[in-house]
Amino acid sequence: MRSFWGLMRAYWFSDRWVEAWTLTLVIALFTALSSKAGVWFAEASGELVNSIAFYHDAANTTPLASLLTNAGVLILLVVLKDAGFTGIRTFVSATLHRKWRGWLDSRFNAALLDTNHTHFHAQHGSSGAAAPDNIDQRVQESIKDMTGGAIGLAMGVMAVATSLYFVGRKLLETSAEVKGLEFLGSYGSAVLAFLAVAIYVPLNTWIAVKLGRLLERLNIRMQQSEGSYRGELTTFLRRSFHVAASQGENVQKTMHDRLYVDIDRTWARLNIVNTSYRSFELVYNFIGARIVAYAPGLVPYIHNRFDLKGYITGSEMVNSLISQCSWFIHVMPSIAALRANSQRVTELANAIENVQHPQEFYSLTGCSDFRYDRQNPVFGLTIQKLELTHQGEDATPFLSAANLRFRRGEWTFLKGESGCGKTSLIKAINGLWPYGRGSIVFPEGVESFYAAQEVKLQQVSLKQLVCLPGSERDHTDAQVASALHKAGLGDFIEHMADESRDGMSWDQVLSGGQKQKLVVARIVLQQPGLLFLDEATGALDPEGKIAFHQAIKDNCPDVTVISIMHEAVPPRSLSGAEFYHSIVAIADGVATKKPLAPSLPVALTTILAHPRPVEETRPVEERWLRFPRRIRQK
């Protein structure tokens, strides 16, 4: 689906081909019937005009009955054609539109939301071209408008082909000799009709194409402007509290005004072109229906080769032919929109295809040579000769780690100044950092879990939120309830099946701290072997941070933890025991790992915190020597 035609035919050659072709053939059948009904309509119009013209003729013994009969037949044909054939075709085409759009939507969602994290790579890297903007707009609006426009275009082509066949054949059957063109025989009037259509329609189609290309460019620009404005509105509503707290409404308003200026300017130009095109189309329709359609048959009618009935019938058929062949002119704005939408959809398809192999994709704009492997879980997680860089072939590494090993069950604290690369290191381990090199070897058969600082919750049930990244069918209600209780969210157990509470989604209901407790519930339920905490306790108070760590310690005994926190010293349990065993310190772009500095024994810590009155003045060293030898050895 990387090209226009590939995108157009993919559905018809997919696993849904029976559905696609069945609906298409039904549309083709009713298009042909509608075109045939156009011939019947022309003949009935001729009969009606003839009954009016000869209403007072002495030979017409039943003028009123003939007039009413012909009028009734014409009305029945209109109902049959427009409410019957055309109406059914419209319903079937709308069904095809719905089915095709649904299939394309599912394909793009499956491609974006695969295990390769395509949605992430498509937005955060480029091979010389900008990442696709407004992916939500492309998947929804562009696909919807593109599929609808393509079906309309195909139906128009079918209508032109069937009209040329039915109307053209009837014109040849009713053709008459034209004075001055006797060498054409009885096909003279038909040749004149075809010649008029062949000159008039293509010339005006060329004009329409020129205007259509301008409309296409403006449509693309309008979509980009609208998408940017909508994206900023969405972002603003998500950070509404921060705008209110900082009293940043005036700044936000200025941003909105600046973005809307582009929409307004593009819209103004689009209105001018659309108005010009509409005026051109109205003039074209009048000349085609009242002059070009009636001109070819006028010469044989003047020379008595046609009677009035034949002249009107032939002229109406020429008008029908012009109307059908002019379909491209009538829908040129829609074709321009179709091309604009298809361009945006194919750009997204290309972006998705380009990042199917992330390292090859990122290698086009920088160094991307990460090697991921598996080893016996006894050896834990190993990182060797790791260097992280930014985009660019000659980018200097901003972080390097010669050799880092994390044993099974080991808790490691990442320490360093802001901006030193702590989060980048965790992202690289998880395959989410694009540029650099090195070897990352994971323990075989061990699941990993990445907990970020900011928690965004999808609009699903609370049980599903706890079961992520798995399905709610993977765990019983009792297991999920137990995880919520251990995480400190027991008050919400009775609402596990709800997708909202008091009309608000869980993302709105839960506070920042509660969302981070929800992460604990996920960890307790999922039992990962590798846990990455990227400032995952930032919204918790000191007691909450201790509870966060204690819940993991108590329920995931063999988990390997690598954690980033703002604190200079990692938290300890309420008893004073250390959660963490080692520290990875990042300084001057180098990451080094060392054991956590030993702390004073728990007993000594307690005594020093609550000293006996008689020992208040004694030095710490003297009091330390008074402890039994076994305690001092600890």
Side-chain angles (χ1 to χ4, degrees), residues 502-524:
D502 299 329
M504 296 187 294
S505 67
W506 288 109
D507 194 56
Q508 297 170 306
V509 171
L510 299 179
S511 66
Q514 288 172 326
K515 289 177 183 179
Q516 292 185 334
K517 290 180 180 180
L518 182 65
V519 172
V520 177
R522 289 178 182 172
I523 296 168
V524 170

Side-chain angles (χ1 to χ4, degrees), residues 108-179:
F108 273 95
N109 274 299
L112 284 167
L113 300 170
D114 59 3
T115 56
N116 189 45
H117 308 307
T118 294
H119 63 93
F120 174 81
H121 297 301
Q123 298 178 87
H124 293 84
S126 67
S127 56
D133 64 309
N134 307 306
I135 290 179
D136 59 331
Q137 181 194 54
R138 293 171 188 258
V139 172
Q140 288 301 307
E141 294 178 10
S142 296
I143 287 180
K144 179 182 178 181
D145 294 341
M146 181 199 71
T147 49
I151 291 171
L153 176 62
M155 288 195 301
V157 173
M158 291 180 194
V160 171
T162 53
S163 291
L164 284 171
Y165 175 74
F166 290 116
V167 177
R169 190 174 68 171
K170 192 65 178 179
L171 281 173
L172 289 173
E173 289 176 2
T174 59
S175 182
E177 186 178 294
V178 177
K179 189 175 181 179

Side-chain angles (χ1 to χ4, degrees), residues 283-300:
V283 173
Y284 170 84
N285 289 340
F286 176 80
I287 295 175
R290 292 291 172 260
I291 298 176
V292 178
Y294 282 81
L298 188 60
V299 177

